[in-house]
Amino acid sequence: MLSGYSFNCQPKECTYDEIHEDFMWDIPEIYNIGSVTLRHDNQHTNQTALVYLDEKGTVSEYTYTQLEDAVTTLVYNFEERGITEGDRVAICFPPSPELLISYLAVFRLGAVCVPVSVLSETDTLEYCLDHAAVSTLLIDSAISDQFQQVLEIVDIERVISVPLRASDDQTTGSEAGPLGGYRDIVSDGKTTRVVETAPDDPALILYTSGSTGVPKGVVQGHQYLIGSLPGYQCWYELFDPAELASARVWTPAEWAWAGALFDVVFPTLAAGGTIVARTRRSGFDPSSALSLVESQEITHSFLPPTALRRIRDETSPADYDLSSFETIMCGAEPLTASVKRWAQDTLGVTVNEAYGQTEANAILGESTALYPQKEGTTGLPYPGHTLAVQQGDERRGIGRGELLIDSSDPVVFIEYWNNPEATSTAFTEDGWLKTGDEAIIQENGYVSIEGRVDDIIITSGYRVSPKEVESKLESHPNVEAVVVGGIPDPDRGTVIKAFIVPIDERIALNDREDERYQKLELELTRFAKDKLDAYKKPREYEFLEEFPKTRNGKVDRAALLNSDS
């Protein structure tokens, strides 16, 4: 069923080394995400591909055959409207059938998808539309008005505004199927034509968060899906075709980010499983998340650590039937050992941490079915991915340095759109991708991600990993979350400062003269003395109600540290 690679050695019957050595990429000459995700053998055509909960909570289920039928209608109509191979098409919807079939139809036309978050600021939207030279914008009509000023500024050939349709909407009725709101604005014409794209033909331009500068457009080919699939199988521990087909997979992450699209949406469809989606236009609700797991019998999920932490702090999992829940993959930000243990013990699931980035997804992580977890590490390279570290002018397979990825890997990006200089500096002279993350590759192969290279703190001549200090401080019972960075100091050049979100949020509302503020500061100072080497201890603490976030929900370290300078 899954094309583009083979394990050769049955994963659950072999050692990790045997799996890794016997793994083979088998990249086909023609590969298109819009085709491989829906066109399965006959036994899967009537299987549920998408379970969708609209804003009213109404549940609709769509089979692979129904999605295929809707996509062929969209391809015909998009082609009639002038969308053609190579066009950049921006797509802006919340998770919905309309969003899914939009992606797949654009892929089939050989055009390039430019995902846009519904939570984007107008400046971000304007930048992405202009920078990518977008010719078509497909947008949820509920939000198109708020971007009207941008649409008057940016030269876009066509804007197709589509209302999301609830399954019981009287204007369309359930007959609209997965076409939803498209049903009102398209003809009944269909075409099964799929442009014969090469695996490395551009499929998407994914804009990074731009927390330290303007966003970069990461160009990924259709083979990005092939490169992500081994990781998908490993972190969800799905190796048997029947297991893959029975998986019901959900993420609260927006379908505008690589993590949601290539850790959940497209791999699940390619594997013949079921995606569960819910339209929401506000922030993450931990109670609603557990209700969804219960009602829709979710088996697997990609949950960022922040979401897990909020489930721990704001819900009572014993109130829900979570017996269907098997595996959670955690990524996008560091996962603390305490949150991980809580999730495994309380939710009764396996939690596998994984690492990747928009430029190279799903390259390493945990898989308890294949090898044991080792605290303090993020796991082992997933099959098919070759890693190294840069130490000075040398590339080594073991040691500490900037993490590198062999650029022949199908998961490695093609280029930064219209930014040849940034593209060039992203690779070593001999063609390895520089991740920008400091890592330690141990002799046993396990990898520890120490943080961004630019975030490593050099104080009094010592190199200090923010992640190590953060993980120690987060184990304090009165600490909710920690970010550590370096600030200027006249004597040491740089000293370590810890930004803390305390469990008792009232502390963050008070000034440094407050007794509770001073008490927690003293507790943490003593705690750090017992847990950390002298040069790793924070010299200063600041308590906050919450951390600033980038537009894709990650902690904005640059904003924190810049506010202190």
Side-chain angles (χ1 to χ4, degrees), residues 154-169:
V154 181
D155 182 21
I156 298 179
E157 190 173 337
R158 60 187 73 82
V159 176
I160 303 176
S161 181
V162 184
L164 299 191
R165 293 299 193 197
S167 58
D168 61 350
D169 193 311

PDB file of all heavy atoms in Angstrom, residues 154-169:
ATOM      1  N   VAL A 154      -2.616  43.262  -2.582  1.00  0.00           N
ATOM      2  CA  VAL A 154      -1.844  42.241  -3.285  1.00  0.00           C
ATOM      3  C   VAL A 154      -2.537  41.877  -4.598  1.00  0.00           C
ATOM      4  O   VAL A 154      -3.756  41.671  -4.638  1.00  0.00           O
ATOM      5  CB  VAL A 154      -1.679  40.984  -2.410  1.00  0.00           C
ATOM      6  CG1 VAL A 154      -0.850  39.930  -3.135  1.00  0.00           C
ATOM      7  CG2 VAL A 154      -1.023  41.338  -1.079  1.00  0.00           C
ATOM      8  N   ASP A 155      -1.750  41.779  -5.627  1.00  0.00           N
ATOM      9  CA  ASP A 155      -2.295  41.465  -6.953  1.00  0.00           C
ATOM     10  C   ASP A 155      -2.500  39.957  -7.083  1.00  0.00           C
ATOM     11  O   ASP A 155      -1.540  39.208  -7.298  1.00  0.00           O
ATOM     12  CB  ASP A 155      -1.341  41.974  -8.039  1.00  0.00           C
ATOM     13  CG  ASP A 155      -1.887  41.724  -9.447  1.00  0.00           C
ATOM     14  OD1 ASP A 155      -3.111  41.553  -9.576  1.00  0.00           O
ATOM     15  OD2 ASP A 155      -1.084  41.695 -10.395  1.00  0.00           O
ATOM     16  N   ILE A 156      -3.751  39.508  -6.917  1.00  0.00           N
ATOM     17  CA  ILE A 156      -4.095  38.091  -7.046  1.00  0.00           C
ATOM     18  C   ILE A 156      -5.088  37.936  -8.188  1.00  0.00           C
ATOM     19  O   ILE A 156      -6.092  38.653  -8.264  1.00  0.00           O
ATOM     20  CB  ILE A 156      -4.701  37.532  -5.742  1.00  0.00           C
ATOM     21  CG1 ILE A 156      -3.681  37.629  -4.619  1.00  0.00           C
ATOM     22  CG2 ILE A 156      -5.148  36.088  -5.915  1.00  0.00           C
ATOM     23  CD1 ILE A 156      -4.196  37.126  -3.297  1.00  0.00           C
ATOM     24  N   GLU A 157      -4.803  37.006  -9.082  1.00  0.00           N
ATOM     25  CA  GLU A 157      -5.626  36.830 -10.269  1.00  0.00           C
ATOM     26  C   GLU A 157      -7.046  36.397  -9.932  1.00  0.00           C
ATOM     27  O   GLU A 157      -8.017  36.862 -10.522  1.00  0.00           O
ATOM     28  CB  GLU A 157      -4.966  35.791 -11.181  1.00  0.00           C
ATOM     29  CG  GLU A 157      -5.585  35.692 -12.555  1.00  0.00           C
ATOM     30  CD  GLU A 157      -4.790  34.777 -13.458  1.00  0.00           C
ATOM     31  OE1 GLU A 157      -3.593  34.585 -13.201  1.00  0.00           O
ATOM     32  OE2 GLU A 157      -5.375  34.239 -14.423  1.00  0.00           O
ATOM     33  N   ARG A 158      -7.177  35.477  -8.961  1.00  0.00           N
ATOM     34  CA  ARG A 158      -8.528  34.999  -8.620  1.00  0.00           C
ATOM     35  C   ARG A 158      -8.611  34.666  -7.131  1.00  0.00           C
ATOM     36  O   ARG A 158      -7.677  34.099  -6.562  1.00  0.00           O
ATOM     37  CB  ARG A 158      -8.913  33.786  -9.468  1.00  0.00           C
ATOM     38  CG  ARG A 158      -8.018  32.582  -9.335  1.00  0.00           C
ATOM     39  CD  ARG A 158      -8.364  31.487 -10.331  1.00  0.00           C
ATOM     40  NE  ARG A 158      -7.961  31.847 -11.670  1.00  0.00           N
ATOM     41  CZ  ARG A 158      -6.719  31.712 -12.143  1.00  0.00           C
ATOM     42  NH1 ARG A 158      -5.755  31.246 -11.353  1.00  0.00           N
ATOM     43  NH2 ARG A 158      -6.429  32.050 -13.378  1.00  0.00           N
ATOM     44  N   VAL A 159      -9.717  35.037  -6.528  1.00  0.00           N
ATOM     45  CA  VAL A 159     -10.029  34.696  -5.142  1.00  0.00           C
ATOM     46  C   VAL A 159     -11.318  33.886  -5.151  1.00  0.00           C
ATOM     47  O   VAL A 159     -12.340  34.336  -5.662  1.00  0.00           O
ATOM     48  CB  VAL A 159     -10.201  35.951  -4.262  1.00  0.00           C
ATOM     49  CG1 VAL A 159     -10.622  35.549  -2.842  1.00  0.00           C
ATOM     50  CG2 VAL A 159      -8.916  36.767  -4.227  1.00  0.00           C
ATOM     51  N   ILE A 160     -11.254  32.681  -4.613  1.00  0.00           N
ATOM     52  CA  ILE A 160     -12.432  31.818  -4.543  1.00  0.00           C
ATOM     53  C   ILE A 160     -12.814  31.689  -3.071  1.00  0.00           C
ATOM     54  O   ILE A 160     -12.118  31.045  -2.291  1.00  0.00           O
ATOM     55  CB  ILE A 160     -12.158  30.437  -5.172  1.00  0.00           C
ATOM     56  CG1 ILE A 160     -11.706  30.609  -6.635  1.00  0.00           C
ATOM     57  CG2 ILE A 160     -13.398  29.548  -5.084  1.00  0.00           C
ATOM     58  CD1 ILE A 160     -11.326  29.304  -7.318  1.00  0.00           C
ATOM     59  N   SER A 161     -13.901  32.354  -2.708  1.00  0.00           N
ATOM     60  CA  SER A 161     -14.370  32.373  -1.326  1.00  0.00           C
ATOM     61  C   SER A 161     -15.421  31.282  -1.149  1.00  0.00           C
ATOM     62  O   SER A 161     -16.408  31.229  -1.895  1.00  0.00           O
ATOM     63  CB  SER A 161     -14.962  33.750  -1.001  1.00  0.00           C
ATOM     64  OG  SER A 161     -15.407  33.810   0.330  1.00  0.00           O
ATOM     65  N   VAL A 162     -15.197  30.413  -0.175  1.00  0.00           N
ATOM     66  CA  VAL A 162     -16.030  29.218  -0.016  1.00  0.00           C
ATOM     67  C   VAL A 162     -16.607  29.172   1.395  1.00  0.00           C
ATOM     68  O   VAL A 162     -15.852  29.184   2.378  1.00  0.00           O
ATOM     69  CB  VAL A 162     -15.205  27.932  -0.262  1.00  0.00           C
ATOM     70  CG1 VAL A 162     -16.095  26.692  -0.201  1.00  0.00           C
ATOM     71  CG2 VAL A 162     -14.469  28.013  -1.588  1.00  0.00           C
ATOM     72  N   PRO A 163     -17.941  29.101   1.537  1.00  0.00           N
ATOM     73  CA  PRO A 163     -18.526  28.952   2.876  1.00  0.00           C
ATOM     74  C   PRO A 163     -18.409  27.501   3.345  1.00  0.00           C
ATOM     75  O   PRO A 163     -18.677  26.576   2.578  1.00  0.00           O
ATOM     76  CB  PRO A 163     -19.989  29.345   2.665  1.00  0.00           C
ATOM     77  CG  PRO A 163     -20.267  28.984   1.240  1.00  0.00           C
ATOM     78  CD  PRO A 163     -18.970  29.200   0.485  1.00  0.00           C
ATOM     79  N   LEU A 164     -17.977  27.311   4.584  1.00  0.00           N
ATOM     80  CA  LEU A 164     -18.001  25.961   5.140  1.00  0.00           C
ATOM     81  C   LEU A 164     -19.451  25.581   5.391  1.00  0.00           C
ATOM     82  O   LEU A 164     -20.213  26.362   5.958  1.00  0.00           O
ATOM     83  CB  LEU A 164     -17.210  25.881   6.443  1.00  0.00           C
ATOM     84  CG  LEU A 164     -15.723  26.211   6.398  1.00  0.00           C
ATOM     85  CD1 LEU A 164     -15.071  25.814   7.727  1.00  0.00           C
ATOM     86  CD2 LEU A 164     -15.024  25.518   5.248  1.00  0.00           C
ATOM     87  N   ARG A 165     -19.850  24.377   4.985  1.00  0.00           N
ATOM     88  CA  ARG A 165     -21.223  23.943   5.139  1.00  0.00           C
ATOM     89  C   ARG A 165     -21.339  22.882   6.212  1.00  0.00           C
ATOM     90  O   ARG A 165     -20.682  21.830   6.139  1.00  0.00           O
ATOM     91  CB  ARG A 165     -21.761  23.363   3.828  1.00  0.00           C
ATOM     92  CG  ARG A 165     -21.897  24.379   2.710  1.00  0.00           C
ATOM     93  CD  ARG A 165     -22.869  25.485   3.070  1.00  0.00           C
ATOM     94  NE  ARG A 165     -23.219  26.264   1.887  1.00  0.00           N
ATOM     95  CZ  ARG A 165     -23.768  27.464   1.931  1.00  0.00           C
ATOM     96  NH1 ARG A 165     -24.002  28.031   3.102  1.00  0.00           N
ATOM     97  NH2 ARG A 165     -24.067  28.103   0.820  1.00  0.00           N
ATOM     98  N   ALA A 166     -22.194  23.124   7.221  1.00  0.00           N
ATOM     99  CA  ALA A 166     -22.517  22.081   8.185  1.00  0.00           C
ATOM    100  C   ALA A 166     -23.315  21.007   7.472  1.00  0.00           C
ATOM    101  O   ALA A 166     -24.036  21.270   6.514  1.00  0.00           O
ATOM    102  CB  ALA A 166     -23.337  22.670   9.334  1.00  0.00           C
ATOM    103  N   SER A 167     -23.217  19.773   7.934  1.00  0.00           N
ATOM    104  CA  SER A 167     -23.866  18.665   7.249  1.00  0.00           C
ATOM    105  C   SER A 167     -25.382  18.781   7.262  1.00  0.00           C
ATOM    106  O   SER A 167     -26.066  18.190   6.430  1.00  0.00           O
ATOM    107  CB  SER A 167     -23.452  17.339   7.894  1.00  0.00           C
ATOM    108  OG  SER A 167     -23.797  17.334   9.258  1.00  0.00           O
ATOM    109  N   ASP A 168     -25.934  19.567   8.215  1.00  0.00           N
ATOM    110  CA  ASP A 168     -27.388  19.712   8.264  1.00  0.00           C
ATOM    111  C   ASP A 168     -27.843  21.072   7.727  1.00  0.00           C
ATOM    112  O   ASP A 168     -28.967  21.494   7.931  1.00  0.00           O
ATOM    113  CB  ASP A 168     -27.896  19.529   9.699  1.00  0.00           C
ATOM    114  CG  ASP A 168     -27.317  20.558  10.677  1.00  0.00           C
ATOM    115  OD1 ASP A 168     -26.386  21.276  10.264  1.00  0.00           O
ATOM    116  OD2 ASP A 168     -27.799  20.621  11.818  1.00  0.00           O
ATOM    117  N   ASP A 169     -26.932  21.768   7.028  1.00  0.00           N
ATOM    118  CA  ASP A 169     -27.274  23.073   6.479  1.00  0.00           C
ATOM    119  C   ASP A 169     -28.358  22.909   5.421  1.00  0.00           C
ATOM    120  O   ASP A 169     -28.195  22.172   4.445  1.00  0.00           O
ATOM    121  CB  ASP A 169     -26.022  23.703   5.855  1.00  0.00           C
ATOM    122  CG  ASP A 169     -26.206  25.175   5.535  1.00  0.00           C
ATOM    123  OD1 ASP A 169     -27.228  25.509   4.913  1.00  0.00           O
ATOM    124  OD2 ASP A 169     -25.324  25.971   5.910  1.00  0.00           O
TER     125      ASP A 169
END
